[in-house]
Amino acid sequence: KKETAAELQASKERSMLPLQPNQSVTAATELYFSPSHDFPKRPAWSDKWSKDKLERNEQREFRQYVTKLLKSDIHIPIPSGRGKKRDEEDDENEDEDEENEDDDEEDDE
């Protein structure tokens, strides 16, 4: 259906108005995830800690979280990027590296 001249004019005028930001851009995780889903929480910290100590603490807590997940009954899919074909490519690259090292040794002689 073709727009009338009045509809086109009204559309042009609306396009010139400033954007009105959406007031609510957050959503509760419960809308998307079941209660059985668990998410890591940032551990307690002190503002007296150094950056390194804070990062070590967060890394330790995250490793514990992942270990707990791996030991649980929850199915965690393996990323598709890591499979047999990729392992074979890694093996081929290692073979090429060894050949290159052999060539380098011959050049040195």
Side-chain angles (χ1 to χ4, degrees):
K1 166 187 163 199
K2 193 172 183 178
E3 294 177 297
T4 66
E7 290 172 327
L8 283 173
Q9 185 60 32
S11 180
K12 286 180 183 178
E13 289 174 9
R14 279 195 312 273
S15 71
M16 299 301 281
L17 295 173
L19 292 175
Q20 298 297 320
N22 187 348
Q23 297 303 319
S24 177
V25 293
T26 60
T29 57
E30 292 81 17
L31 294 173
Y32 303 101
F33 301 101
S34 74
S36 66
H37 285 106
D38 183 26
F39 295 94
K41 306 274 188 294
R42 234 192 198 130
W45 59 279
S46 168
D47 58 356
K48 294 178 177 83
W49 289 0
S50 69
K51 178 183 175 205
D52 289 337
K53 181 175 181 175
L54 177 68
E55 288 177 352
R56 281 193 312 269
N57 188 44
E58 288 184 350
Q59 289 170 359
R60 184 185 68 248
E61 291 288 327
F62 186 73
R63 279 193 307 274
Q64 290 173 349
Y65 167 79
V66 171
T67 301
K68 180 182 157 194
L69 273 181
L70 292 172
K71 290 180 179 179
S72 72
D73 293 335
I74 298 172
H75 172 70
I76 301 172
I78 297 171
S80 61
R82 191 74 190 162
K84 184 177 181 182
K85 183 174 181 180
R86 187 160 177 186
D87 288 337
E88 290 170 357
E89 290 172 1
D90 289 345
D91 292 342
E92 289 173 7
N93 289 337
E94 286 176 14
D95 292 342
E96 289 174 9
D97 290 341
E98 289 173 7
E99 289 173 10
N100 290 338
E101 287 175 7
D102 293 340
D103 291 344
D104 289 342
E105 289 173 7
E106 290 174 7
D107 291 342
D108 290 342
E109 293 174 6

